Amino acid sequence: MIKAVIFDWGRTLYDSDKKVEFVESEGILKYISEKGIRMALASLVSAQANATLDERKRQIANSALWKYFEYTRVTEGDKDQILEEIVAELNIPREEILIVDDRMVRGIKYGNLNGHPTAWVKAGRFSEELPDAETLEPTYIISSVSELRNII
């Protein structure tokens, strides 16, 4: 049973190219919130992010999605570290924390290697970044976060 979801920001809930939330993002966050499931956000600002650290923090703070997250972490460094921080703060078993990300080599790999169920948003820029022996297979493959309704 899923008791918490940790989302990635760029290209998962937010279109980093158009600088706007995906249309379906608020609806699924509202749905998850109404189910009593806790939510957090972990975002890595990298060369592909189309934003600086300060810009990313502003995007999130100015977004209507902000209110759904119990914890928010943004880094230019080690995404695994901020995921670990959030997991520790949530203080629930890893197998009850779903990791949702568009990158196999980031959030999905972390989740798979650390006992979390994972949902890979296989869409957009990193949809060809396929699972391998290092990342392992995601628990779920979805093309949009709206498909989380079928998982949660």
Side-chain angles (χ1 to χ4, degrees):
M1 177 172 191
I2 302 300
K3 292 187 179 172
V5 180
I6 302 175
F7 284 94
D8 174 55
W9 178 253
R11 296 187 173 85
T12 300
L13 294 172
Y14 184 85
D15 187 326
S16 298
D17 298 316
K18 295 179 181 176
K19 307 279 188 197
V20 65
E21 296 91 352
F22 288 115
V23 173
E24 63 275 9
S25 295
E26 186 159 18
I28 194 61
L29 295 181
K30 184 177 183 204
Y31 173 83
I32 293 169
S33 176
E34 289 171 350
K35 294 277 187 190
I37 296 170
R38 299 165 71 188
M39 288 180 280
L41 184 68
S43 181
L44 171 68
V45 178
S46 64
Q48 296 88 12
N50 295 339
T52 66
L53 184 66
D54 287 339
E55 287 171 330
R56 174 62 52 87
K57 287 179 179 180
R58 272 194 304 277
Q59 289 169 355
I60 295 166
N62 293 330
S63 169
L65 306 180
W66 170 266
K67 64 186 174 219
Y68 294 101
F69 302 111
E70 187 174 340
Y71 303 105
T72 302
R73 297 285 186 281
V74 181
T75 187
E76 290 177 307
D78 186 356
K79 188 169 186 179
D80 289 2
Q81 179 181 341
I82 63 172
L83 286 163
E84 278 297 317
E85 290 172 8
I86 293 169
V87 169
E89 290 171 356
L90 288 168
N91 194 31
I92 57 178
R94 291 176 185 272
E95 63 270 13
E96 296 175 354
I97 303 171
L98 178 67
I99 306 289
V100 181
D101 203 306
D102 70 311
R103 301 284 315 265
M104 284 301 306
V105 300
R106 302 254 195 271
I108 301 303
K109 177 182 174 183
Y110 166 85
N112 288 341
L113 296 178
N114 288 283
H116 296 274
T118 56
W120 176 35
V121 183
K122 185 182 180 196
R125 186 173 189 173
F126 301 108
S127 61
E128 300 304 315
E129 191 176 271
L130 302 176
D132 60 24
E134 187 177 329
T135 64
L136 306 177
E137 292 286 329
T139 312
Y140 306 98
I141 299 174
I142 57 178
S143 59
S144 162
V145 292
S146 64
E147 293 176 49
L148 292 171
R149 290 178 191 270
N150 302 325
I151 296 168
I152 296 174

